[in-house]
Every structure is written in structure tokens, then in C-alpha cells.
Amino acid sequence: RRMSTLDALERCARETREYVGARVTRATSPPSALAFAMAHIAANVPLLTANATTHWRAHDAWRANEGVMEDFGGPDAVVEVNATPNGRGDAVHRVEKDGWARLGTGTRCETTGRGETRDAFDAFVEPAKREMTIKELFESLEDGAGTGTAWYLSGQNDNLRSSEALARAGARNDFDVPFAREAFASVGKAGRDGLGEAVNLWIGNDASQTSYHQDFYENIYTVVRGTKVFSLRPPCDAFDMRATEAVRGVFETDDALSWRIKLRPSFEPRVVWSAVDLDPVTGEPIFGDDDALRYRRPRPEPCFDVEVRAGETLYIPAMWFHRVRQKGITIAVNSWFDMHFGDRYATRPLWEPSRRSMSSSSVTLA
């Protein structure tokens, strides 16, 4: 029989839940490398486990700000921090006809470099980068929204091994996750020092959130302090994620009080990004729980919400969509391991939205 492509995608999303389960598995102890490889990496299924990193010195040393600052080389150690006016870096913002962008809660900021245009459009806006001392970062995070700026140490790109202050902290701590290292090493994917292709440190608070996106890496994410809230969706949900082709832009500020967005030249490649956290009619950013987001369908398949608390480790399979929020000041470390680029990656276009109407095409089911 024949059904529309859209119906087929909706069926895939439903059946995926039957295989993956209704929630993320929470284990009290880490699995063996073999069990992890078979039940999670090969099956493309997330895992949350406690007690995988009990040997990490940071779990005790970084409970207080002073311990973090000591490992960084003292309170005056300089770090690069991302800054935004609304906590939405690396996210889609709507630029209106008059050249002003919506930031949420009725506020807007001006854009530069947009050229002539008669229509509103979407922009993928990266955070501004500022240098400050590690002490100033913690003071700003403790002030919360009172600063008018959301600060987030989230440089990525192997920042625990590439940044001087962060590398100093990394040298004083062992961030090995044995069950993951052994599993990825068995297929030649352990990366540098067995810690993956990149090891990243994240320090932020509830003023910042990360919009839905995919990584083409296997992600091992451990919370050292505080709580992270992840919303996860399998790759087959791509058709529901309201992907938009957005021009590139970056936040700029002189005083962390007045903001603008500098748009990149129009000839640069656009970014394809999920816009479910942007109201499709008003262009206002949407904050809050997954239920408030605007998917392509009014009632999409449920996401997998999971709280990752201090001492717990989350495995996010490659290509899974994830959105991240914090509760209070949170410190975390993650490692990215190379994914296997096989049939799952090759069939990716089947799940991604087509520029033509999906309802107008059909597939034949046995």
C-alpha cells in the first residue's frame, strides 16, 4: 500500500520509541565496555550512569569556586567566555524588515551588515567572546540575570587541552571515563590519550541554554557540579525540527549592556539549524520546557528529558538532537569520540526535511 512520505516519517518516529524505550536508561554503575558497545553505541541508544568517574579529583576539588580557581592557576587566570544578551548563543534569531532582531521578552537589538532586504529572515547568531578572569566569571554567574548578560564558558573545540588556563586545570585532573574509552578504543576511536578527539569544559548557569542541534560525534558528558537538563530526540525526528536556512551572524557589545548582531556577507554559506525555539509567526524566542517549543507537528513524539546531576555521566549517541539547560551554577566536562560514518549517516537525507511538500510524495510499504 502507499502512504505519504510524511506519514512514513511519523511512523518511523513512533516505532523508534518502541525500540529505544520511553525514557533514558539510568544505571547506578557503569556497564562493561562490551555491554556499552553492544547495547548503546551499536544500538544508538542513550545511557545515563552514576559512579563512572568516582576517581575524578574534580568532584571534590571543584565543589567550591576556590578549588576551580586554584586548578586554573589562581583567581586572576584569564579565560575566554561566551556572552549573549539572552542566553541564546549558537541559535536562530528572527531579523525583521527594519533590521532589528528579536531577543525575547519584547526586547530587540540592531543588526549591521545586512544589506538591502524587504523581508524578515532568520539568522544563526554566535555568541560574543570576551576575556575575563576566572574569579570574574564566577562573580558574574553568581549575580545571575542582574548583570544583563549571560556568561558561559563553552568554547568547545578541545578547550581543556588547547587553552592555557584550562589546560593547566586539565593537567591536574584525570578526566578519563574508562568504560567509554575501552569501548571506543576497541574500534580505533579512542582519540588522543584515550580521551577522545576533544575534551571540553563547560561552566555556566541557568541564564544560558543550548538550542536543539546534532553533533557528528559520540558524546560522553559528565556533570561535576550542579545539574544539567537534557532534552534528547533521535535522528529520525529531523522532519519535525523545523530546520531553517539561516544567514550567519555574531553578537557584538562594547559594554555588555548594549548589543547588536553583525551579519556575515550574504555570499557565505548559510547554516541549517532547528528553529523549534522560535515562534514561527512572531519570531519571538521561546524559553522553557520542551512542551513550549513549536515543532512542525502540534503533537510530535515525546522527547527524552533527563536530568544529569553531579557525578553522573550521560552518553548522547552521534546524530541525536539535544537541547541543554542548567540549574544554578553548573560545571561539566565532555569528550567527543569519532562516530562511525556508516549507513546511519548515509541515510540521513531520508529524515531531513525536503524543500518540496512531503505530503505530495509517497512511498510504497510492503
Side-chain angles (χ1 to χ4, degrees):
R1 62 188 179 88
R2 297 180 68 83
M3 65 165 55
S4 71
T5 302
L6 182 57
D7 288 340
L9 291 172
E10 291 176 352
R11 173 176 165 177
C12 287
R14 287 194 304 272
E15 292 189 357
T16 295
R17 267 71 178 180
E18 296 178 11
Y19 291 106
V20 174
R23 60 185 60 84
V24 175
T25 299
R26 182 183 291 269
T28 57
S29 60
S32 68
L34 179 60
F36 174 59
M38 294 183 66
H40 296 280
I41 301 176
N44 201 233
V45 174
L47 168 71
L48 177 66
T49 181
N51 299 311
T53 59
T54 53
H55 60 289
W56 283 18
R57 171 182 168 276
H59 285 307
D60 291 322
W62 290 5
R63 288 181 180 177
N65 297 346
E66 290 73 19
V68 183
M69 291 188 283
E70 179 182 348
D71 280 3
F72 275 58
D76 295 327
V78 176
V79 294
E80 184 178 76
V81 180
N82 289 332
T84 62
N86 59 358
R88 300 180 75 250
D90 290 341
V92 176
H93 291 75
R94 178 69 49 79
V95 179
E96 298 180 316
K97 295 180 181 180
D98 60 3
W100 286 69
R102 292 186 175 275
L103 300 178
T105 63
T107 61
R108 305 196 305 164
C109 76
E110 191 175 11
T111 64
T112 63
R114 62 189 279 268
E116 293 296 326
T117 180
R118 296 180 179 179
D119 300 312
F121 58 91
D122 292 335
F124 173 79
V125 186
E126 300 172 10
K129 298 186 183 300
R130 301 287 295 269
E131 287 191 342
M132 60 172 52
T133 67
I134 185 64
K135 180 181 179 181
E136 290 171 335
L137 172 60
F138 278 117
E139 289 173 345
S140 297
L141 293 176
E142 288 170 346
D143 285 343
T147 64
T149 297
W151 305 97
Y152 196 10
L153 195 159
S154 55
Q156 305 178 55
N157 300 322
D158 203 26
N159 66 7
L160 258 175
R161 294 188 288 206
S162 60
S163 164
E164 180 179 350
L166 274 62
R168 189 181 299 115
R172 299 193 64 178
N173 292 275
D174 176 9
F175 293 121
D176 179 34
V177 184
F179 80 91
R181 168 179 46 78
E182 293 171 18
F184 291 118
S186 69
V187 291
K189 302 288 188 180
R192 294 170 52 190
D193 308 322
L195 299 180
E197 295 302 314
V199 185
N200 305 304
L201 176 67
W202 311 78
I203 304 178
N205 63 8
D206 46 11
S208 294
Q209 61 179 262
T210 303
S211 62
Y212 266 122
H213 65 286
Q214 293 174 296
D215 292 321
F216 295 97
Y217 287 98
E218 308 283 6
N219 194 345
I220 301 294
Y221 203 108
T222 301
V223 173
V224 176
R225 173 176 152 192
T227 300
K228 291 266 188 175
V229 181
F230 286 81
S231 298
L232 308 177
R233 288 187 171 276
C236 64
D237 281 12
F239 76 101
D240 248 339
M241 300 303 290
R242 282 186 49 226
T244 183
E245 290 189 352
V247 302
R248 293 176 178 268
V250 61
F251 279 118
E252 290 185 337
T253 181
D254 298 320
D255 52 12
L257 294 175
S258 57
W259 291 85
R260 59 187 175 275
I261 295 173
K262 181 179 180 180
L263 300 172
R264 304 281 176 81
S266 59
F267 57 79
E268 288 193 6
R270 297 194 172 201
V271 176
V272 178
W273 205 262
S274 171
V276 295
D277 58 355
L278 204 68
D279 188 289
V281 177
T282 66
E284 281 287 308
I286 301 171
F287 303 88
D289 295 335
D290 200 81
D291 290 344
L293 304 185
R294 301 293 297 274
Y295 293 93
R296 189 197 58 77
R297 291 184 294 166
R299 292 184 179 86
E301 296 301 316
C303 72
F304 298 79
D305 275 330
V306 56
E307 285 194 358
V308 186
R309 306 178 185 97
E312 294 182 324
T313 298
L314 175 67
Y315 165 58
I316 307 173
M319 296 176 58
W320 273 61
F321 291 95
H322 49 289
R323 178 175 181 248
V324 194
R325 291 166 288 159
Q326 285 83 220
K327 290 186 175 181
I329 295 178
T330 303
I331 302 176
V333 174
N334 88 298
S335 291
W336 281 326
F337 294 86
D338 276 340
M339 67 173 282
H340 173 65
F341 286 87
D343 58 344
R344 190 175 295 134
Y345 179 81
T347 56
R348 182 169 55 108
L350 295 175
W351 317 116
E352 294 178 342
S354 170
R355 287 186 176 85
R356 57 190 172 85
S357 172
M358 288 186 291
S359 62
S360 66
S361 58
S362 62
V363 294
T364 301
L365 298 181

